[in-house]
């Protein structure tokens, strides 16, 4: 499960697998499958790989969704409760209307938590399917799914060492901020304005000291418990999506079938993740804060001397995906008994996709003028917002970064005592947007022959793809 800009992927015997839904391709960052909507799962590998075209070496995993049934009405529901305040509810409702129309509704609410602090997966999704039968040989099917997901997925490992040697030597501190063993200086020549999440203050950190270490994961559970999720409550991903599918199916003969299909999917994605020193656990050896004018040692006593802390600069990624796929396929089967069973199928498909991604970074802004406060170039590193959290040892909930929670989550009107400015923060775009237009044309003919009571199978196919 990708912890930042995507959802789960799949492997088959160690090799990456492609995903599809009703045999329409799903991209690598597509929303997770909801098993309450799935009727069938197919794993195509080996000789069947001719069907996959441009796909991963592990083949294709296809999920077939539930369809509306003509055979009768039914309704099923479930409510479940689990550890860590997890809960889930489902509803599956099928109704035929006369002999030729049926409608099926599936609803799911899922709120899943774990032993990791802040970790959750909350989603609300609905699927509506309808089938209309013109005759015994002809029918149309429609399907629409809509949903939203909010997830907080921590990484698989814990905080990393940037303080163990300092801790073992008795947490030495200095009043003059002269470098001592197992410490390093923060930005001696440049401003480093840091927001302290514990008390909502702004501190000038230029030239102050922080501890150093190996960067290895901290294995001692007395120092960092396995429940720690250092990303905190702000490390969230939020998605809204919609999928619309339509199918026309016609039986031309006893063993000859024609299908036309269309699929439209769209997704918006908003992700927050810390990227600078994000996993390092530091110690603070400074007995005094900076004074007016960013002067070392001229300020008040440091209330956090000897404490451990984590800090980072936050990024935000916003994505839009939209895909339209058109497909036609024709299949025929002939059975000559002792002389073999033969199948042949042809498929043509056209897909177009639009993709746009933008990355933002949290930077300081002068609340009164709207200008960049510490360098005239807005995205200069001097304007980066660093958020620091001093942890309470043994209180594993406190081992979490302060971050931009909610729709904006930005800082507003905090005072920098050193410069005298009133500061806010803003998301500033980093680099040019990543914008792509993709078109793919595919055609395929595949045949299969079975002999000796289907014990010997011969298969061959030809596929051509044009990808722009």
């Amino acid at each position: 499960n990708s912890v930042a800009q995507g959802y789960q992927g799949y492997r088959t015997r160690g090799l990456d697998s492609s995903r599809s839904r009703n045999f329409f391709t799903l991209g690598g960052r597509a929303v997770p499958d909801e098993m309450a909507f799935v009727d069938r799962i197919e794993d195509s590998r080996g000789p069947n790989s001719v069907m996959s075209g441009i796909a991963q070496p592990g083949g294709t995993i296809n999920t077939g969704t539930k369809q509306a049934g003509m055979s009768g009405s039914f309704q099923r529901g479930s409510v479940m409760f689990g550890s860590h305040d997890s809960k889930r509810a489902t509803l599956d409702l099928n109704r035929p209307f006369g002999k030729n129309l049926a409608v099926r509704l599936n609803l799911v609410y899922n709120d899943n938590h774990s032993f990791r602090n802040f970790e959750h997966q909350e989603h609300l999704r609905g699927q509506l399917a309808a089938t209309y039968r013109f005759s015994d040989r002809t029918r149309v099917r429609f399907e629409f799914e809509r949903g939203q997901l909010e997830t907080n997925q921590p990484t698989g490992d814990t905080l990393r060492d940037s303080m163990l040697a300092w801790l073992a030597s008795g947490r030495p501190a200095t009043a003059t901020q002269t470098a001592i063993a197992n410490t390093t200086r923060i930005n001696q020549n440049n401003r480093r304005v840091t927001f302290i999440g514990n008390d909502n203050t702004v501190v000038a950190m230029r030239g102050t000291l922080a501890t150093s270490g190996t960067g290895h994961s901290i294995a001692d559970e007395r120092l960092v418990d396995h429940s720690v999720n250092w990303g905190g409550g702000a490390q969230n991903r939020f998605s809204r999506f919609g999928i619309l599918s339509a199918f026309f199916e016609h039986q031309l003969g006893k063993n000859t079938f024609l299908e036309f299909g269309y699929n439209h999917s769209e997704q918006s994605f908003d992700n927050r993740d810390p990227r600078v020193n994000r996993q390092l656990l530091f110690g603070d050896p400074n007995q005094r804060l900076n004074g007016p004018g960013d002067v070392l040692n001229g300020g008040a006593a440091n209330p956090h001397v000897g404490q451990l802390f984590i800090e980072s600069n936050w990024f935000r990624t916003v994505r839009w995906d939209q895909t339209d796929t058109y497909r036609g396929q024709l299949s025929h089967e002939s059975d000559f008994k002792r002389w073999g069973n033969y199948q042949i199928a042809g498929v043509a498909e056209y897909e177009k996709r639009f993709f746009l991604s933008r990355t933002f970074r949290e930077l300081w802004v002068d609340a009164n003028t709207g200008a960049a406060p510490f360098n005239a170039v807005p995205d200069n590193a001097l304007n980066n917002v660093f958020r620091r959290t001093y942890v309470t040892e043994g209180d594993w909930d406190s081992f979490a970064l302060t971050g931009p929670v909610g729709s904006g989550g930005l800082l507003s009107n905090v005072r920098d005592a050193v410069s005298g400015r009133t500061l806010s923060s803003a998301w500033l775009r980093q680099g040019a947007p990543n914008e792509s237009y993709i078109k793919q044309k595919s055609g395929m003919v595949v045949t299969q022959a079975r002999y000796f009571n289907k014990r010997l199978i011969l298969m061959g196919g030809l596929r051509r793809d044009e990808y722009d």
Side-chain angles (χ1 to χ4, degrees), residues 117-223:
N117 296 328
F118 309 103
E119 181 178 15
H120 68 271
Q121 183 184 73
E122 182 177 12
H123 63 243
L124 180 64
R125 301 169 71 160
Q127 181 205 35
L128 180 66
T131 300
Y132 184 79
R133 184 168 55 191
F134 290 96
S135 67
D136 291 341
R137 290 174 174 260
T138 306
R139 67 174 185 169
V140 292
R141 293 191 293 114
F142 297 93
E143 181 183 308
F144 179 68
E145 182 179 342
R146 188 77 176 172
Q148 64 181 39
L149 298 89
E150 182 179 339
T151 62
N152 182 308
Q153 179 67 34
T155 60
D157 58 349
T158 184
L159 286 166
R160 296 178 179 273
D161 162 41
S162 196
M163 41 59 79
L164 288 178
W166 173 80
L167 200 66
S169 62
R171 307 190 191 212
T174 174
T176 62
Q177 292 177 336
T178 302
I180 56 179
N182 305 309
T183 66
T184 184
R185 194 171 296 282
I186 297 176
N187 289 24
Q188 183 167 359
N189 300 316
N190 295 311
R191 286 186 181 274
R192 167 76 128 68
V193 179
T194 301
F195 176 77
I196 309 299
N198 304 73
D199 48 21
N200 296 326
T201 58
V202 173
V203 176
M205 294 292 180
R206 174 165 60 180
T208 59
L209 299 174
T211 57
S212 58
T214 64
H216 297 156
S217 293
I218 300 174
D220 190 338
E221 295 178 49
R222 295 169 298 177
L223 298 176

Side-chain angles (χ1 to χ4, degrees), residues 7-53:
Y7 296 99
Q8 79 261 26
Y10 295 92
R11 292 175 183 264
T12 302
R13 295 182 177 175
L15 299 176
D16 287 338
S17 299
S18 298
R19 290 179 55 207
S20 63
R21 181 182 186 273
N22 296 323
F23 293 103
F24 290 110
T25 302
L26 295 174
R29 290 184 172 91
V31 296
D33 288 312
E34 171 50 63
M35 290 299 107
F37 300 163
V38 173
D39 186 57
R40 178 181 176 88
I41 299 175
E42 297 173 75
D43 182 9
S44 297
R45 289 175 288 137
N48 282 341
S49 62
V50 70
M51 305 287 286
S52 303

